[in-house]
Amino acid sequence: MTILSIDFDICMWQDIELYNNMVNSFRTIDEITPKYPALKNVRFDANLYNRLTSLVMKLARKLPVDKIHFISTHEDIIKFVNNGKEDNKVINIDHHHDVCYSMAPIGTTASCANWVKYLYQNHMIQDYIHIGDSFSQMPLADDAIIVKEFLNIGDIGLDAFVEEVDELCICLSPAWVPSQYHGLFEAWATALGVM
């Protein structure tokens, strides 16, 4: 089974590194903006949004509604992975690789920062492809083996993935996406009849 995951924060790629280390699951960009007013002007890549919208609509024509999921935080993808079958593949369109960002053990629960390594260590995925952007970081050297392939979204066409996708998960990641753009995420869910 192949799951395509889209993290909405990829649309913030041009400026996300300005605030990336100041936000997390408990503190959003909206909460830090009063202290850092320049963050009111972070860029949202509308051209990339249009490319992703085209991909989402093509997948919506192919997949049944029960195979399309809208989630708030990325570790929620775990409930849609076919547990116990190591032939699962995840293609993740995301500014962040989400493998893991420290050498600390990940423990028994996944987070938005380590869900990929959690799936890998628990034999829930065999292949992981990260489609990032020009500013996406690579995983730590010890975790590099988990990423089968890294692709830059600016260099590839997305239609090539449509045929192989069996399930779609779209993640908002509200900590990294200013609330003024949440309606565009919701527009996808409404258009697909999922919300």
Side-chain angles (χ1 to χ4, degrees), residues 158-170:
L158 298 175
D159 289 349
F161 297 103
V162 172
E163 285 308 309
E164 72 175 297
V165 173
D166 302 303
E167 201 140 356
L168 173 63
C169 282
I170 303 173

Side-chain angles (χ1 to χ4, degrees), residues 99 102-103 117 120-121 139-147:
V99 173
S102 74
M103 295 304 293
K117 188 171 184 176
Y120 183 80
Q121 286 185 340
L140 300 170
D142 288 351
D143 294 329
I145 191 170
I146 296 172
V147 182

Side-chain angles (χ1 to χ4, degrees), residues 2-56:
T2 298
I3 298 175
L4 177 68
S5 173
I6 301 172
D7 193 319
F8 211 60
D9 74 10
I10 190 82
C11 292
M12 308 306 302
W13 73 273
Q14 294 161 302
D15 292 333
I16 196 169
E17 287 300 320
L18 294 174
Y19 59 90
N20 189 50
N21 292 330
M22 294 186 280
V23 299
N24 54 43
S25 298
F26 308 104
R27 186 175 52 241
T28 70
I29 182 171
D30 290 338
E31 292 170 328
I32 65 168
T33 300
K35 187 174 180 181
Y36 304 99
L39 294 178
K40 288 181 183 177
N41 300 315
V42 293
R43 293 171 287 178
F44 180 90
D45 189 337
N47 290 324
L48 178 54
Y49 177 77
N50 286 337
R51 287 180 64 207
L52 292 171
T53 299
S54 176
L55 174 63
V56 167

